Amino acid sequence: MAELGLNEHHQNEIISYMRFARSKRGLRLKTVDSCFQDLKESRLVEDTFTIDEVTDILDGLQTVVHSEVESELINTAYTNVLLLRQIFSQAEKWYLKLQTDISELENRNLLEQVAEFEKSEFTSSNKKPNPELVKPKLTPLHDGASELLQKEIARLQEENEKLRSRLKTIEVQATSALDEKSKLEKALRELEIVQGDHKDLCELESNMADLKYKLEKTLHDSTASQKSLEENLVSTKHDLLKVQDQLAMAEKELEKKFQQTAAYRNMKEILSKKNDQIKELRKKLSKYEPDD
């Protein structure tokens, strides 16, 4: 329905309740009107009244009207509680939990909307009531459907318990598998560490063997080289002595040959003559030098 936002079935239920409420309200209004009418007929029989008499009449009327209005308000509240009880009882049979918003009961917009809905439904004098709306109470659930629902709920609960049990078993198995996996991973890491240490030891032994081999080879090569160098040194010394002797002999031979050449003799004669000249000059100079 467009006015209250409910489907047709619920709209009919609301209309049925509003018809019931209207009839009760009409009865109470008639009761209030009868209170005033009784007052007129029973008390207002004289032409003049004193202030005390008027006050007494009004106090009596107030008491009667207050009692009638209070009784109607209490009855309306109890009626609403019974209506909610029917709705909640029907919902509980389907294992539903309904909720209400008390603050919406004072929503002026919604109240005006309900008033407009009531006006549109009940102000038409030619409008006939729908026979389906005249229902004293909610249609109860069928016993067969309720029994089937109970069986289905029991079956689902049993299946749920089986699933819970299976889930616990799977969780235990998963926990055991995780523990086993952790143990295997730890053992694998330890094995890798041992293998790594063994591998490092093998590499170290291999490196030591290579180093030893290279050292022995270097030592052997060094010994051979030293021996070769010593032999070469002795041979070189012999060759050096031999060359020195040959050089000395060559120098002597060269000097001997030079002394035998004409140039050497001429040079020797020139040096001798020069020496003689120097001696002669010294003698002459000595003559001209003064005596001390």
Side-chain angles (χ1 to χ4, degrees), residues 3-261:
E3 293 83 352
L4 298 180
L6 300 174
N7 58 33
E8 184 178 358
H9 174 75
H10 291 155
Q11 172 183 333
N12 294 334
E13 294 293 334
I14 290 178
I15 293 173
S16 177
Y17 175 75
M18 294 182 74
R19 180 174 287 106
F20 167 77
R22 283 170 63 88
S23 65
K24 298 293 290 185
R25 184 169 66 244
L27 291 175
R28 287 300 175 183
L29 289 176
K30 289 180 180 180
T31 302
V32 173
D33 292 339
S34 66
C35 291
F36 283 89
Q37 187 64 32
D38 292 342
L39 177 64
K40 291 178 182 179
E41 294 176 354
S42 63
R43 300 293 301 272
L44 301 180
V45 293
E46 298 180 4
D47 294 334
T48 58
F49 296 91
T50 65
I51 294 176
D52 293 335
E53 290 175 340
V54 172
T55 303
D56 183 61
I57 292 172
L58 293 177
D59 289 341
L61 179 62
Q62 179 185 4
T63 302
V64 174
V65 173
H66 181 275
S67 176
E68 289 294 332
V69 173
E70 182 182 19
S71 176
E72 176 60 20
L73 292 175
I74 292 174
N75 185 69
T76 301
Y78 291 168
T79 303
N80 291 333
V81 170
L82 291 177
L83 181 62
L84 289 173
R85 180 178 177 274
Q86 293 182 39
I87 296 173
F88 291 155
S89 296
Q90 194 175 62
E92 287 178 0
K93 291 180 180 180
W94 291 93
Y95 295 91
L96 299 177
K97 293 183 178 180
L98 304 181
Q99 292 181 344
T100 59
D101 188 355
I102 303 300
S103 62
E104 291 295 325
L105 299 179
E106 296 181 353
N107 189 320
R108 298 304 305 174
N109 293 329
L110 294 179
L111 292 175
E112 292 175 0
Q113 187 177 356
V114 173
E116 290 294 331
F117 174 73
E118 181 184 16
K119 183 179 179 180
S120 65
E121 289 292 332
F122 296 100
T123 55
S124 178
S125 60
N126 298 326
K127 194 169 184 179
K128 296 182 180 180
N130 190 344
E132 295 183 356
L133 299 181
V134 184
K135 295 179 181 179
K137 56 184 177 180
L138 294 175
T139 303
L141 288 173
H142 193 272
D143 293 339
S146 178
E147 184 179 356
L148 291 176
L149 179 61
Q150 293 289 344
K151 290 181 179 180
E152 180 65 17
I153 291 174
R155 186 187 66 81
L156 292 175
Q157 288 178 347
E158 182 180 358
E159 185 176 351
N160 188 27
E161 290 298 328
K162 290 180 180 180
L163 291 176
R164 287 177 181 272
S165 178
R166 184 179 177 185
L167 179 61
K168 289 182 179 179
T169 303
I170 293 174
E171 287 178 351
V172 172
Q173 293 177 353
T175 303
S176 178
L178 290 175
D179 293 339
E180 187 67 22
K181 181 182 178 182
S182 300
K183 292 179 181 179
L184 291 175
E185 289 178 349
K186 183 178 180 181
L188 180 61
R189 287 194 297 268
E190 292 177 354
L191 180 60
E192 289 177 350
I193 293 173
V194 172
Q195 289 180 347
D197 295 339
H198 180 68
K199 184 178 179 181
D200 294 339
L201 182 60
C202 292
E203 291 179 356
L204 183 60
E205 291 178 351
S206 178
N207 292 333
M208 289 293 294
D210 292 340
L211 183 61
K212 184 179 180 181
Y213 172 76
K214 291 180 180 179
L215 183 60
E216 291 177 351
K217 184 178 179 181
T218 303
L219 183 60
H220 180 270
D221 293 341
S222 177
T223 303
S225 177
Q226 184 177 0
K227 186 176 181 182
S228 177
L229 288 174
E230 290 177 354
E231 293 178 353
N232 291 333
L233 182 60
V234 173
S235 176
T236 302
K237 286 183 178 180
H238 291 166
D239 293 339
L240 180 60
L241 292 174
K242 185 177 180 180
V243 169
Q244 288 178 349
D245 291 341
Q246 291 177 356
L247 181 60
M249 292 177 63
E251 288 178 351
K252 290 180 180 180
E253 185 68 23
L254 180 62
E255 186 178 359
K256 182 178 180 181
K257 289 182 178 181
F258 181 73
Q259 290 178 359
Q260 293 177 356
T261 59

Side-chain angles (χ1 to χ4, degrees), residues 257-292:
K257 289 182 178 181
F258 181 73
Q259 290 178 359
Q260 293 177 356
T261 59
Y264 177 77
R265 290 194 297 270
N266 292 332
M267 185 179 295
K268 191 173 181 181
E269 289 176 357
I270 292 171
L271 289 173
S272 179
K273 289 180 180 180
K274 290 292 182 183
N275 289 329
D276 293 339
Q277 290 177 359
I278 290 171
K279 290 179 179 180
E280 186 67 25
L281 288 172
R282 284 179 176 175
K283 288 180 179 181
K284 289 180 180 180
L285 288 173
S286 61
K287 292 179 180 182
Y288 297 99
E289 291 178 356
D291 294 334
D292 296 334

